[in-house]
Amino acid sequence: MAGMLDTHLRNSKACQVKIRYFGFKSLNNDVKQLDLILIPTPVLALKFMVRQPIILALHVTLIKLEVLQMFMKEISSLRSLTFTSVPYITFSLYPGAKDCLKNLSELRCCSNISTELFYQLSQTCYNIQSLTIEFKRIISNGIADIISVQRSLKQFDMILYDDYSMANIIFSLMSKVPKTLIKLGIYSSVYCTPSLSFIANFSNLQELELSFDLEEFFVDFEKLQYVIFSQLQVLKIWDAFPSDGLLIKFLENNGKNLKEIYIGEIEDCNDNSLNLAISKFCPMLTKLSTGIKNNELETLKIIFNSCKYLESIKIWCGGVIKKFKVTDFDDDEYNI
């Protein structure tokens, strides 16, 4: 490697770095994806012998900067970019970065990246289609910039890691998300989950995915039970699900066009009333994952009779996962 990386590494006795190249010179414009997670990487294999962690951190930073600069020079048009906890990097250091990123369509990053970096991205990347943000304790003011300039955003995923002052901030950020969104995912194991009422603003949703550890995390889901999502085709609620019949009412209003449902994929998440509602309100299903108790197999027959287009089903039954294609069943044997 060249430049400041060479200078710092040659003069250092604090660590020994072994760099092994894997044909980097052959890297060309066919490269479309870059994950900025330095170790391990398919380009470099690095081995550190550490005595002073602070100096090591400096060298890791320098290496990341140099690797990123190399990619910016070699790749003319990047499609997918992942940033993982690199709040100090900005693109102002790299000639050609604007051209490299102008066609970026997929971005995954953490909320603690510098405001300046988000601002620079917002000046270049207008056509991101898939955006995933991992929300940590620090939430950069620049997130609003990158969201608000998007013209073609189709998928937005948020992963919530920290309780600290997060709910109100996220609720505000969602007002910046364009109404063209067709896929929304929210994943959280924290108590300060934002109100879900903002989901009502995205009437064009085709896929909704929610993953919460406890039913209490479904804040204000009752405000969604009467909202009509006429294009919704896929509903995934992986762990806990809303109680008090809220999800049943939601299916009553939005089940007729659903093609895939995945509900409560943990051992004790099964609800016979919910399964009966699925059979009643979701006639177009092709894929279903749900929990059914051993003494409620009659409900399974009702589902088969009602969902004529069903192609596969995954059942949580007595703590055991059973996955079938509909053709695996014999009509006479099961009296369907």
Side-chain angles (χ1 to χ4, degrees):
M1 299 173 76
M4 60 181 175
L5 178 63
D6 280 344
T7 301
H8 282 275
L9 292 184
R10 280 198 302 266
N11 294 335
S12 174
K13 296 182 180 179
C15 65
Q16 297 178 9
V17 181
K18 296 182 179 180
I19 303 176
R20 184 172 50 188
Y21 290 90
F22 292 89
F24 184 78
K25 291 183 178 179
S26 65
L27 187 64
N28 55 42
N29 293 340
D30 292 333
V31 176
K32 300 299 182 185
Q33 180 168 340
L34 172 58
D35 290 346
L36 192 59
I37 308 171
L38 185 63
I39 303 172
T41 164
V43 178
L44 303 176
L46 304 174
K47 180 180 180 181
F48 290 95
M49 299 177 63
V50 186
R51 293 192 181 92
Q52 300 182 32
I54 295 177
I55 298 178
L56 171 62
L58 170 63
H59 289 308
V60 171
T61 298
L62 294 173
I63 293 170
K64 287 180 179 179
L65 293 172
E66 288 287 327
V67 170
L68 185 57
Q69 186 171 15
M70 286 191 294
F71 272 102
M72 291 297 178
K73 290 179 179 179
E74 292 286 338
I75 303 172
S76 63
S77 183
L78 193 66
R79 296 285 187 261
S80 178
L81 177 62
T82 299
F83 276 107
T84 303
S85 298
V86 283
Y88 43 77
I89 288 181
T90 63
F91 287 128
S92 59
L93 301 174
Y94 308 114
K98 185 172 183 179
D99 291 336
C100 175
L101 295 170
K102 64 182 179 181
N103 293 319
L104 192 71
S105 61
E106 181 179 349
L107 174 64
R108 181 176 181 132
C109 60
C110 295
S111 65
N112 59 355
I113 291 175
S114 70
T115 296
E116 175 63 21
L117 175 55
F118 275 120
Y119 175 76
Q120 290 176 9
L121 287 171
S122 70
Q123 300 301 300
T124 304
C125 309
Y126 304 115
N127 296 303
I128 294 175
Q129 297 184 27
S130 176
L131 176 61
T132 300
I133 300 179
E134 300 178 16
F135 286 91
K136 306 289 182 70
R137 180 171 289 267
I138 298 174
I139 300 180
S140 169
N141 293 330
I143 293 179
D145 293 328
I146 188 65
I147 292 177
S148 61
V149 300
Q150 298 313 311
R151 304 164 180 165
S152 307
L153 191 63
K154 302 298 182 185
Q155 176 177 346
F156 183 67
D157 294 320
M158 62 173 72
I159 304 170
L160 311 182
Y161 286 111
D162 204 296
D163 293 330
Y164 181 73
S165 302
M166 183 177 293
N168 292 334
I169 296 174
I170 293 176
F171 189 81
S172 175
L173 284 175
M174 292 308 297
S175 66
K176 308 289 185 182
V177 177
K179 302 302 183 289
T180 55
L181 204 68
I182 61 174
K183 184 177 180 181
L184 174 64
I186 308 173
Y187 315 89
S188 175
S189 59
V190 299
Y191 284 94
C192 292
T193 302
S195 169
L196 300 178
S197 60
F198 68 82
I199 298 176
N201 296 324
F202 303 105
S203 58
N204 295 318
L205 279 182
Q206 297 178 17
E207 182 170 337
L208 176 61
E209 185 168 352
L210 304 174
S211 180
F212 302 148
D213 285 354
L214 300 172
E215 63 183 55
E216 291 84 358
F217 294 175
F218 287 86
V219 181
D220 290 337
F221 190 86
E222 65 272 11
K223 296 180 180 180
L224 297 178
Q225 59 181 325
Y226 298 105
V227 178
I228 304 299
F229 298 95
S230 59
Q231 299 183 53
L232 191 64
Q233 298 182 29
V234 180
L235 178 63
K236 300 178 180 180
I237 302 181
W238 290 115
D239 296 317
F241 54 85
S243 60
D244 300 325
L246 298 179
L247 187 53
I248 292 176
K249 191 63 180 179
F250 182 86
L251 291 176
E252 182 179 349
N253 288 313
N254 295 288
K256 65 179 181 179
N257 293 320
L258 283 175
K259 295 182 178 179
E260 300 179 24
I261 295 180
Y262 307 84
I263 299 292
E265 291 210 352
I266 58 177
E267 182 175 326
D268 58 348
C269 276
N270 47 61
D271 186 306
N272 195 51
S273 297
L274 178 58
N275 289 327
L276 291 172
I278 290 173
S279 69
K280 182 177 181 180
F281 301 124
C282 309
M284 305 302 292
L285 282 184
T286 60
K287 295 181 180 180
L288 173 63
S289 175
T290 188
I292 296 180
K293 296 179 181 178
N294 288 327
N295 61 352
E296 296 172 349
L297 295 182
E298 189 66 28
T299 300
L300 182 58
K301 298 179 183 180
I302 296 174
I303 291 174
F304 282 147
N305 282 325
S306 302
C307 303
K308 302 295 186 181
Y309 300 96
L310 200 60
E311 297 174 358
S312 67
I313 182 169
K314 183 164 67 172
I315 304 168
W316 291 80
C317 186
V320 178
I321 306 174
K322 298 182 179 181
K323 189 173 183 179
F324 307 99
K325 293 181 180 179
V326 173
T327 52
D328 294 337
F329 292 89
D330 181 89
D331 289 353
D332 294 332
E333 181 180 355
Y334 291 92
N335 297 316
I336 296 175

